Amino acid sequence: MEDASNKPLIGLVPTMGALHAGHASLIRAAASSCRHVAVSIFVNPTQFGPHEDYARYPRSFEADRALAQSEGAHAIFAPSVEELYPAGASTFVEVEGLSTRLDGASRPGHFRGVATVVAKLFIAAEPDRAFFGQKDAAQVSVLRRMTADLRLATEIVVCPIVRDPDGLALSSRNAYMSPVERAQSLALSRAVRRVEALAAQGERRAEALIAAAREVFAAASSAFPAAPTVRIDFIALVDWSTLEPVEIAAPGTLFAVAAWVGPTRLIDNAILR
Ligand code: AMP
């Protein structure tokens, strides 16, 4: 739906709160292209595995509300778990195939929870546009597929990754890290930058690009001999829409990495040119 200024009426920015500059960039993008901006804040239990950090996920509602408003949000939607999942709730949205790749392979059920809650938010807010970060690149693939399959009218807008000055992609989970882990975490963004640079120089073979990223992780581990090593979850070069591995990188190919730094799981990626 559009108003007289031809701007779409409603922009939605779904979040789990603990807002940072990455979320702020989504809210600003929404505010610049939509008449009304709603930010949802909901720590969605169904996207956490049984041994994941649902209980200790950071919650900071008052600060989140202030940040969302100062970036241009007109409404905050912060439902309770019971509001989104009424007693006995047993309806889920499952995007088959995609939901078992990349993060979905190591977090079974995660994307089922994401697709379900985003569908519920879309039904509740009926947004013309919804804004998501490229940081969660596999999530974008799952949600694009879901909106296409269900023929939802909401346009998915993807915003660039916001980083700390040293390269670390902002994440609410960065707060979990000790100073040593914070230093070790740079392996992810360094690997991403290395692969981007090699691809720009003409190296398009997945095998070589992935090997180069592994070398970055190996170097990062040897720089901290006393600390537990950063554990790679996956390093992958995939088609961004199918999340299937590719052998040769093309423009638009997704390079994605996930790794455990101590107890914290971090992700990063780049869309190669
Ligand atoms: P979350 O609160 O972690 O569920 O994230 C809410 C939205 O913010 C998702 O669409 C994320 O992809 C996006 N987001 C999280 N971190 C960043 C970042 N560093 N840069 C841009 N977007 C981000």
Side-chain angles (χ1 to χ4, degrees):
M1 207 186 292
E2 293 182 350
D3 72 351
S5 71
N6 285 337
K7 273 188 177 179
L9 270 180
I10 301 176
L12 175 68
V13 182
T15 82
M16 296 205 301
L19 301 185
H20 50 62
H23 300 112
S25 74
L26 303 187
I27 299 168
R28 280 198 301 279
S32 70
S33 78
C34 300
R35 287 281 289 171
H36 302 287
V37 175
V39 174
S40 63
I41 297 178
F42 181 66
V43 184
N44 174 36
T46 63
Q47 72 188 67
F48 288 80
H51 306 295
E52 292 186 354
D53 53 345
Y54 175 67
R56 72 181 187 117
Y57 195 84
R59 289 163 171 87
S60 52
F61 181 72
E62 287 309 325
D64 291 348
R65 177 163 56 186
L67 183 140
Q69 280 173 345
S70 72
E71 298 293 354
H74 303 100
I76 311 275
F77 180 46
S80 65
V81 172
E82 294 69 31
E83 272 175 284
L84 280 199
Y85 296 99
S90 48
T91 303
F92 291 87
V93 177
E94 177 122 20
V95 180
E96 292 183 359
L98 286 177
S99 292
T100 61
R101 296 180 196 134
L102 297 193
D103 307 272
S106 39
R107 304 184 69 189
H110 171 66
F111 286 130
R112 180 189 198 237
V114 169
T116 300
V117 79
V118 171
K120 286 171 185 267
L121 293 170
F122 283 9
I123 289 167
E126 296 188 2
D128 300 286
R129 288 187 178 168
F131 296 77
F132 295 90
Q134 183 200 309
K135 159 114 186 310
D136 295 272
Q139 168 173 282
V140 167
S141 314
V142 168
L143 295 177
R144 280 179 171 153
R145 187 75 251 170
M146 179 189 83
T147 48
D149 289 354
L150 299 181
R151 298 204 176 280
L152 302 178
T154 303
E155 179 192 347
I156 305 276
V157 181
V158 183
C159 300
I161 301 175
V162 177
R163 300 174 178 281
D164 271 340
D166 63 4
L168 177 67
L170 296 187
S171 163
S172 306
R173 291 188 168 97
N174 291 353
Y176 297 157
M177 286 189 281
S178 70
V180 169
E181 289 165 353
R182 175 67 183 72
Q184 289 182 300
S185 72
L186 291 180
L188 284 91
S189 53
R190 284 187 184 138
V192 167
R193 276 206 306 269
R194 177 100 185 99
V195 165
E196 279 185 305
L198 285 173
Q201 288 161 23
E203 178 55 83
R204 312 303 291 188
R205 294 168 304 156
E207 202 181 335
L209 294 170
I210 290 170
R214 286 191 185 280
E215 276 170 29
V216 173
F217 275 89
S221 288
S222 49
F224 297 93
T229 51
V230 173
R231 198 157 48 83
I232 296 168
D233 179 353
F234 62 75
I235 298 179
L237 202 69
V238 299
D239 178 301
W240 193 12
S241 57
T242 64
L243 302 182
E244 296 275 22
V246 299
E247 285 182 12
I248 299 291
T253 295
L254 168 65
F255 172 73
V257 45
W260 292 91
V261 182
T264 309
R265 185 174 177 281
L266 301 176
I267 57 175
D268 203 342
N269 70 75
I271 307 300
L272 300 183
R273 291 170 187 274

